Amino acid sequence: MQRPQEETVTLDDVVITAELSRRLPRLPNLFLENQAMHTLARLMVNQPETMLKNLVEIALSLCQAGTAGVSLLDVTPSGEEVFRWDMLAGILEQYVGGTTPRNFSPCGTCLDRGAPQLYSYPERYFTYFQATKTPFVEGLVLPLIADRHPLGTIWIVSHDEERRFNLEDVRVMTSLADFTAAALLLNQRQTKELVVKNAQLEAEVVERQRAETQLLHLAFHDALTGLPNRTLFMDRLGQTLERAKERGDLFAVFFLDLDRFKVVNDSLGHTIGDRLLVAIAERLQTCLRSGDLLARLGGDEFAILLKDMKSINDAINLAERLQQELRLPFHIHGYEVFTTLSIGIALSTTGYQQPENLLRDADIAMYRAKAMGTARYKIFDTAMYTESKKLLQIETDLRRAIERQEFRIHYQPIVSLSTNKIIGFEALLRWQHPERGLVLPTEFISVAEETGMLIPIGYWVLREACRQLHLWQQQFSDNSLTINVNLSCKQFSQPHLNEEIYEILQSTHLEPRSLKLEITESVMMENTIGATAMLWQLKDNGIELHMDDFGTGYSSLSYLHRFPVSVLKIDRSFINSSEKSEIVRAIVTLAHSLGMDVIAEGIETLEQQEKLKALECKYGQGYFFSKPQEASAVEALIVKGACASRSQSHAK
């Protein structure tokens, strides 16, 4: 067709829409057009990923074209702007996915001009399709621009000489282009927002993973030293135990406890104590192989899992190596600190099924080592476990004994050695066990002291002894009778001890002069700071203080001068040995020179009594006069007023 030059605007054979105005427009199909727009709108909301596919198919159908396509603007990694052939429908559908540079494309020209463009025989422009051997009759290209953002183009191509585009096609395609541009811009913005949100979410996920990793590390490691904690140690011990069952491996568990670590904390502070723990952990680690495991269980307790042992000597050698390593001083913030280890060792030869049992055995062995002194190690044996179970049972029974009032007091007379007259009694604790019968204090006092139960037990003894003595004083009209009650170290360290004693005296109506409190040298030595004022306060209120078991401890003369002690009690070990008679003589002479009286304990024979009388020892007690008895039996002795000397056959 010949086109008048003056009526045609051309640019490199690109025909602008003036040509279209001469063509007879086809009749519109508004129903199909509206239906198509509703379909696109619905897809945009519910299935945006399928919208472009449906768009090109709708354009192909409404405009009766041979090919329809969408080419979106993109930027290559090198910075070049190109059109992507994102979606095609019709004859050329198989060629989707290609690209064309923006500067060499009719799409670029259309986007630059911002208006529809009509191309006659456009194959020279659509160079991407030149190899298809498909005839190109006419192409209509419309820009996709929204809010001044160039996004790409939508276009249709006719491959039939009988089908050329008109103004109705431009109108339809313009509507599709406007909708598509708006939808694409909205999608891009939503995508950008989604990218930002995804980036934030990824950052949150990374931070959460980091936090989870940190929490996981903290869950299985000690925060101070960075060593594995008890949880991780038990897990690894369980794994090692399972492997040992299958392969017969020999391994050992070490339980380590620092000796006198509390002294470091109390004297230098917890900061120095913490730095010391870190330094100890580092030094212990140097003694181990790469496959061994060191853990901090808490406080000043550590554990070691020694694997792949050839014999028990491997465990012994490590224990000695650990002890040797800790003999060297630690230099912490200008302080030179020494410490030692008590080590318990449990071997895997016990055949246990649970890892907790191995750690328990190592713990038991450690306490046995600590009882032997500092810097010791001990390998567990079954006798230790038996003893540990026995102590646990004693603790359990003790708690029930307090509730069930199973404790009893036996009273042993204290007599004048010259007249055998009873001057008072010593209150001695006994436990009437429902199954074991009468239990002596030597079997349960240490457990009661360790668990703190000795404090309420001690106050009960004091109250009951004072009550009983006042009853006897009233019953036998003898206010000269006195009662001796032992005070433990735990009781002596109580800040309100004096107030408790005065309350007991008032509630039992006993005069303070009738109460004699027995304390050992070690009690005073361990409570030096608070002991002096407390003892003098008791003395000023009329309560006498007796130093029990004198000669077996420090026997410090300075303490005899410092504390208001009225009586020295000579321990039975000196009385029962003829070789120690000179020590007894020295104690009696010392007491007299200091204005103190003496009570000899453990007198079992007439010969011992006579020797003590010769040494001018005034008072004594022991089986020679009477064994400790219940209150009802003692009353018969009080009636007699004296303990008659018994024959040798009844001495014990």
Side-chain angles (χ1 to χ4, degrees):
M1 180 177 64
Q2 186 67 32
R3 301 183 181 87
Q5 182 68 31
E6 66 275 13
E7 296 180 11
T8 305
V9 181
T10 62
L11 178 62
D12 293 336
D13 295 330
V14 176
V15 181
I16 311 303
T17 55
E19 168 63 22
L20 296 176
S21 64
R22 294 189 178 93
R23 300 180 184 178
L24 183 66
R26 62 181 174 80
L27 293 175
N29 192 335
L30 296 179
F31 176 76
L32 292 177
E33 186 178 339
N34 288 336
Q35 191 178 46
M37 296 302 291
H38 278 90
T39 299
L40 291 176
R42 187 173 64 253
L43 291 172
M44 178 58 195
V45 174
N46 299 318
Q47 295 175 286
E49 68 279 359
T50 66
M51 188 195 71
L52 290 181
K53 175 64 175 174
N54 283 271
L55 172 69
V56 294
E57 291 176 350
I58 288 171
L60 194 70
S61 174
L62 290 178
C63 297
Q64 300 174 8
T67 299
V70 173
S71 301
L72 297 181
L73 196 60
D74 198 5
V75 180
T76 65
S78 62
E80 179 186 12
E81 285 190 314
V82 297
F83 285 98
R84 296 192 324 264
W85 303 93
D86 289 279
M87 196 61 63
L88 296 174
I91 296 174
L92 302 176
E93 183 175 352
Q94 59 181 312
Y95 296 100
V96 69
T99 60
T100 302
R102 173 173 178 164
N103 295 334
F104 302 98
S105 167
C107 294
T109 304
C110 176
L111 203 57
D112 290 340
R113 294 180 178 182
Q117 300 295 302
L118 183 67
Y119 296 85
S120 296
Y121 304 102
E123 64 269 12
R124 51 181 169 166
Y125 300 106
F126 290 88
T127 56
Y128 179 67
F129 301 111
Q130 287 179 359
T132 66
K133 306 300 183 181
T134 302
F136 281 66
V137 175
E138 200 166 63
L140 180 61
V141 184
L142 291 90
L144 298 175
I145 299 174
D147 199 17
R148 298 182 181 180
H149 288 80
L151 305 173
T153 61
I154 181 174
W155 48 268
I156 52 177
V157 173
S158 173
H159 305 288
D160 185 356
E161 289 287 350
E162 300 300 322
R163 177 68 178 102
R164 290 179 182 272
F165 302 122
N166 54 46
L167 288 176
E168 180 62 21
D169 296 315
V170 174
R171 187 191 64 77
V172 171
M173 292 299 292
T174 299
S175 296
L176 293 176
D178 291 345
F179 174 85
T180 303
L184 288 173
L185 181 62
L186 178 61
N187 184 263
Q188 283 187 0
R189 286 175 174 172
Q190 289 176 338
T191 302
K192 287 181 180 179
E193 291 177 1
L194 187 60
V195 168
V196 172
K197 290 180 179 178
N198 282 342
Q200 293 174 344
L201 183 60
E202 288 177 2
E204 291 176 3
V205 170
V206 170
E207 176 61 24
R208 187 178 295 112
Q209 289 175 340
R210 186 196 65 79
E212 288 176 355
T213 301
Q214 185 176 6
L215 287 174
L216 189 63
H217 181 83
L218 290 175
F220 292 101
H221 291 81
D222 173 54
L224 177 64
T225 62
L227 292 175
N229 62 11
R230 180 186 292 268
T231 302
L232 182 55
F233 182 84
M234 296 307 296
D235 179 71
R236 298 290 172 81
L237 176 56
Q239 296 176 18
T240 304
L241 185 59
E242 289 301 318
R243 283 196 299 270
K245 293 177 186 176
E246 299 173 0
R247 297 158 36 181
D249 296 342
L250 178 64
F251 66 91
V253 175
F254 285 57
F255 199 110
L256 286 62
D257 185 87
L258 299 180
D259 298 322
R260 297 178 60 79
F261 178 73
K262 187 176 183 298
V263 176
V264 175
N265 265 344
D266 292 346
S267 58
L268 302 182
H270 288 274
T271 300
I272 300 298
D274 286 349
R275 299 315 307 162
L276 177 61
L277 288 172
V278 172
I280 288 172
E282 293 171 351
R283 193 176 289 185
L284 293 176
Q285 193 72 63
T286 63
C287 299
L288 305 180
R289 303 164 302 180
S290 59
D292 300 329
L293 181 66
L294 172 66
R296 183 186 177 211
L297 303 181
D300 60 345
E301 296 177 341
F302 295 83
I304 293 174
L305 177 56
L306 181 64
K307 298 187 285 188
D308 300 326
M309 292 171 49
K310 293 181 176 60
S311 70
I312 191 175
N313 290 332
D314 292 341
I316 294 174
N317 292 337
L318 175 59
E320 293 176 349
R321 197 159 61 244
L322 294 170
Q323 300 285 21
Q324 182 65 35
E325 191 65 33
L326 260 66
R327 287 194 179 97
L328 301 174
F330 292 88
H331 298 279
I332 311 292
H333 291 188
Y335 294 97
E336 187 177 54
V337 182
F338 290 86
T339 188
T340 54
L341 280 174
S342 293
I343 303 173
I345 305 171
L347 301 175
S348 60
T349 54
T350 52
Y352 287 136
Q353 301 297 315
Q354 299 298 326
E356 291 82 2
N357 294 335
L358 279 168
L359 188 64
R360 177 205 63 201
D361 289 355
D363 190 13
I364 293 172
M366 182 277 295
Y367 274 105
R368 184 62 60 89
K370 191 176 283 288
M372 296 164 58
T374 60
R376 304 293 293 269
Y377 69 86
K378 194 73 177 173
I379 298 175
F380 176 82
D381 59 52
T382 54
M384 294 182 190
Y385 180 57
T386 303
E387 179 65 19
S388 178
K389 284 183 64 177
K390 178 182 176 182
L391 293 177
L392 180 60
Q393 187 61 52
I394 289 176
E395 179 182 344
T396 303
D397 291 348
L398 269 177
R399 296 187 186 280
R400 293 172 179 165
I402 296 175
E403 299 171 2
R404 299 172 181 175
Q405 300 180 346
E406 295 174 356
F407 292 111
R408 303 287 185 269
I409 298 180
H410 285 197
Y411 300 88
Q412 185 172 42
I414 300 173
V415 303
S416 168
L417 294 183
S418 59
T419 64
N420 285 355
K421 178 177 172 24
I422 297 174
I423 64 167
F425 300 90
E426 181 178 359
L428 300 170
L429 179 65
R430 299 292 186 264
W431 178 11
Q432 191 64 46
H433 195 282
E435 297 175 1
R436 299 172 57 193
L438 200 64
V439 182
L440 298 179
T442 52
E443 294 189 50
F444 65 85
I445 284 295
S446 60
V447 177
E449 188 167 16
E450 184 178 342
T451 58
M453 287 186 283
L454 189 57
I455 294 174
I457 293 173
Y459 284 135
W460 176 84
V461 170
L462 183 60
R463 184 180 300 276
E464 179 62 20
C466 291
R467 184 197 66 81
Q468 183 63 63
L469 181 68
H470 180 261
L471 184 62
W472 283 336
Q473 288 177 344
Q474 298 297 309
Q475 182 178 351
F476 299 106
S477 302
D478 188 354
N479 290 332
S480 66
L481 289 175
T482 61
I483 190 72
N484 286 34
V485 180
N486 290 275
L487 281 184
S488 69
C489 183
K490 289 285 187 181
Q491 284 179 283
F492 201 72
S493 62
Q494 297 300 301
H496 304 295
L497 174 64
N498 285 6
E499 289 85 345
E500 291 283 351
I501 293 173
Y502 299 146
E503 187 278 324
I504 289 173
L505 288 173
Q506 289 179 357
S507 64
T508 58
H509 308 290
L510 187 70
E511 292 294 328
R513 59 179 176 79
S514 299
L515 176 62
K516 319 296 180 184
L517 295 178
E518 296 189 9
I519 54 177
T520 63
E521 295 175 82
S522 60
V523 168
M524 291 190 294
M525 289 290 290
E526 292 178 20
N527 297 274
T528 307
I529 297 176
T532 305
M534 186 181 296
L535 292 176
W536 277 105
Q537 189 177 1
L538 292 171
K539 175 75 171 180
D540 291 341
N541 284 277
I543 299 174
E544 276 193 7
L545 298 174
H546 294 191
M547 184 173 288
D548 197 16
D549 301 332
F550 186 77
T552 60
Y554 302 95
S555 302
S556 172
L557 297 182
S558 64
Y559 280 99
L560 292 179
H561 276 290
R562 183 183 305 178
F563 297 118
V565 177
S566 301
V567 176
L568 298 182
K569 297 192 73 175
I570 304 176
D571 185 70
R572 68 180 64 251
S573 61
F574 297 108
I575 305 301
N576 294 332
S577 174
S578 59
E579 298 176 354
K580 297 179 180 180
S581 58
E582 291 302 318
I583 297 177
V584 175
R585 183 189 302 276
I587 294 174
V588 172
T589 302
L590 172 65
H592 290 168
S593 64
L594 295 175
M596 301 177 184
D597 285 327
V598 178
I599 298 176
E601 295 183 292
I603 300 174
E604 298 183 352
T605 66
L606 177 62
E607 180 184 4
Q608 291 171 350
Q609 180 187 14
E610 294 301 324
K611 285 184 178 180
L612 289 167
K613 286 169 60 178
L615 293 174
E616 298 183 354
C617 177
K618 279 191 175 183
Y619 307 108
Q621 65 184 97
Y623 274 45
F624 180 68
F625 305 108
S626 173
K627 66 179 182 179
Q629 301 182 74
E630 292 183 352
S632 58
V634 168
E635 292 176 1
L637 297 177
I638 299 177
V639 171
K640 293 179 181 178
C643 287
S645 300
R646 299 184 300 165
S647 65
Q648 294 285 348
S649 61
H650 293 89
K652 292 187 181 181

